[in-house]
Amino acid sequence: MAAVVAPAAAREEQQASADTGDNGAVPIARDLGFPLALAALVSAFVMVQGRLDRRDPKLAAAPISVHDDLLAFE
């Protein structure tokens, strides 16, 4: 079994080294572009949504803490 696994492992190692080549950072940088763009898009949405929510009268009148929402028995 070890005789079969060793050549396969060697082929995988050669393939991995051929994929990275001399410029190993270039493919990684290309693959990292989409997550960074998505994070920037989500951050921009959160900032814009915060400004839009400030103008909403229902959200402005909503209770801020738990104590604002409770009624005391008298």
Side-chain angles (χ1 to χ4, degrees):
M1 180 96 170
V4 175
V5 174
R11 279 192 305 261
E12 286 292 324
E13 185 176 329
Q14 287 174 348
Q15 182 66 30
S17 65
D19 286 346
T20 57
D22 293 333
N23 301 341
V26 174
I28 293 172
R30 284 190 195 129
D31 291 341
L32 193 60
F34 176 72
L36 288 177
L38 186 62
L41 186 66
V42 168
S43 298
F45 172 76
V46 168
M47 289 189 308
V48 169
Q49 188 66 30
R51 286 185 166 261
L52 293 175
D53 284 345
R54 279 189 223 148
R55 298 182 191 155
D56 189 3
K58 286 184 181 179
L59 288 176
I64 295 175
S65 69
V66 176
H67 302 293
D68 294 341
D69 199 26
L70 297 177
L71 294 175
F73 289 105
E74 294 179 13

